[in-house]
Amino acid sequence: MCGVVGYVGPRKVVGVILEGLRRLEYRGYDSAGMAVHDGSSIRVEKVVGKVSDLASRVEGINLDGTLGVGHTRWATHGGVTGENAHPHRDQDGRFVLVHNGIVENYLDIRDQLESRGVSFYSQTDSEVVVKLLSQIYDGDMLRSLTELGRRLEGSYALVILSKDDPGGFYCVRKGSPLVLGLTEGEGFCASDVPPLLPYTKDVIYLEEGDIAEVRPGSVRIWDKDGRPVERPVHRIDWDVSMAEKDGYPHYMAKEIHEQGTVLRSTLKGRLSESGVDLGDDVHWDGDFLRSLRRINLVACGTSYYACLVAERVLERWTSLDVKVDIASEYRYRDVKIGADTLAVFVSQSGETADTLAAQRKVRSLGGRCLGITNVRGSTLAREVHDLLLLKAGPEIGVAATKTFMGQLGALYLLALKLGWERGDLNPVEASRLAYGLLKLPYEVERVLERDGDVKAAAERFCGYDDFLFLGRGFSYPIALEGALKLKEISYVHAEAYAAGEMKHGPIALLEPNVPVMVVIPKDGLYEKTLSNVQEARARKSPIVAVASDGDDLIDQMADWVIRIPRCEECFSPFISVIPLQQFAYHVAQLRGCEIDQPRNLAKSVTVE
């Protein structure tokens, strides 16, 4: 969740760190800091606030050095204060450390250290780690870090500077992601790829328990027991411009408008009217596909809503028993898993802690695991049996938009693959559905052109503080996603319900100050949903409808109609989600909210 950037090489490190931290602002944070080694000592500067505040703090200060580390903190242990901000140092100033993750046994360690006379100045688990390292250190850094790993419980990514070593830094990874950048004469590390893109596209993803020593132009890696290991080098196919705003006022606006391209990229090379090829990272044969009886879809947040859409299409296109669950619940349930179960884990980052834990549970029970993620070198991508990449490029805005579109595309490919090759769909129907899916990127781009209509609706309704979202069938998960987007970036209270559930409690909320946004395309449940609209209208709630072109009846029921092109019912989520994303964006903009970095949120949730 926190942002980490480390550098050693010929460049002035302050500029590298500040630029790297700016590229990690999407992860969400409340304080920022850096440590610079000047060749003889380590200088630490940190602030409560933004990276821009840190830049102002260090401007004019003599922070010359070519080795350093930076950090943006998302508060877990202790409040948002300068003392709790990173980096942290030991009592002698020998070691300086930044940390992403949570050390679960830090209180026990702190008690032990305090009994030895060690003082603490923060409430963080991170300060405990650096002071424990100081106590463990015996002159051999590798041996000391190996012992440190044995003492710590929980998840962590650590980057460590030593006053006595001006030539490089050390990294330790357990649970929280850490990426090394490779280029001649320089060494980099970061908690995600974007800070590395201006300098290199060759990266190493540290694996569980890894310890790394990074020096200019060289990297050495050991496993948790101190044994030398080799890790593969991955070539990142993202261009640095993909992590820029490209003229848009916010990353979220850019990413919303990239969704046609993302969907096209997700389908390209995998789908034709004669079949589905999920690629070389999916290793299924006919016997395996025919043996399947159950499919479990597991995810968190927006990815979970994509799975709820997929549940409905899998029920239509296959004969499998389909189950969908939130990862943080699934991992603690007594789920029936066997060799006839395919478990699908969906995570934008591939580092979501609850999703990873759920995946490990399924593997231990003998189930087959498929990962759907946007990051090839992520933990999820490395641990699953089979992998389906989104090909969405970097998503910088905290609120997911284009990766939701990519997830829908990947999940529909999965459903079509299973239905087609298991014989649940007849070949003519499967080919027709494939053709419809191939046309969808163009339909998505048609909807994106109607942004002006959505902005007008946002201008009319941006002053309301409570919203109720409704939908049925395929539109119910889209209502959930629309409400989540409005909450995430505009801080407007929004709840979503299956439209038929409104009368079972939520109807008590309805009155003139609670608009109802209903997703109501012309589908098989249109009349049922229209009845729910009439119930809301009778309670004098303003009605905002996302409705199909040519639906004249809805004009008589709604106070405002946002139009979308008509399409086949099973494909409607790709179309109807876009105006909800745009509505949330424009409401947040009109209310003066910080759209790309909403408060209290992080892009990659790497703690339970």
Side-chain angles (χ1 to χ4, degrees), residues 265-271 276-284 342 344-348 369-376 378 380-382 384-392 406-417:
S265 177
T266 299
L267 302 178
K268 185 178 180 181
R270 293 167 167 169
L271 178 65
V276 179
D277 181 358
L278 297 183
D280 295 337
D281 294 320
V282 176
H283 314 285
W284 299 340
L342 174 64
V344 182
F345 299 91
V346 186
S347 166
Q348 179 277 136
C369 297
L370 169 68
I372 297 180
T373 181
N374 199 34
V375 184
R376 175 174 287 280
S378 64
L380 181 66
R382 296 196 305 270
V384 291
H385 298 100
D386 307 289
L387 176 64
L388 188 54
L389 285 173
L390 301 185
K391 302 182 182 180
Q407 288 168 351
L408 287 183
L411 288 162
Y412 271 60
L413 282 174
L414 171 65
L416 190 56
K417 168 85 171 178

Side-chain angles (χ1 to χ4, degrees), residues 4-9 169 171 178-206 212-221 232-236:
V4 174
V5 178
Y7 174 75
V8 61
F169 58 86
C171 302
L178 207 53
V179 189
L180 307 183
L182 303 178
T183 186
E184 186 175 349
E186 299 179 283
F188 300 86
C189 77
S191 45
D192 205 350
V193 168
L196 309 180
L197 291 177
Y199 311 102
T200 182
K201 291 186 177 181
D202 293 324
V203 304
I204 293 174
Y205 294 91
L206 291 183
E213 176 193 75
V214 180
R215 299 192 180 277
S218 72
V219 169
R220 291 197 293 170
I221 303 174
V233 177
H234 297 271
R235 183 76 174 173
I236 301 299

Side-chain angles (χ1 to χ4, degrees), residues 555-571:
D555 289 324
Q556 303 172 32
M557 304 290 179
D559 297 272
W560 198 285
V561 180
I562 299 170
R563 296 289 181 180
I564 56 175
R566 294 192 69 162
C567 70
E568 187 166 352
E569 179 176 349
C570 62
F571 295 135

Side-chain angles (χ1 to χ4, degrees), residues 195-258:
L196 309 180
L197 291 177
Y199 311 102
T200 182
K201 291 186 177 181
D202 293 324
V203 304
I204 293 174
Y205 294 91
L206 291 183
E207 298 190 10
E208 197 76 355
D210 279 357
I211 300 167
E213 176 193 75
V214 180
R215 299 192 180 277
S218 72
V219 169
R220 291 197 293 170
I221 303 174
W222 301 268
D223 67 13
K224 63 183 178 63
D225 297 315
R227 295 181 296 245
V229 293
E230 296 288 334
R231 298 300 184 210
V233 177
H234 297 271
R235 183 76 174 173
I236 301 299
D237 58 3
W238 299 347
D239 187 84
V240 66
S241 64
M242 297 173 72
E244 303 293 346
K245 291 180 184 175
D246 198 24
Y248 286 90
H250 301 93
Y251 285 111
M252 184 177 180
K254 173 177 178 274
E255 288 156 4
I256 288 172
H257 281 85
E258 288 176 338

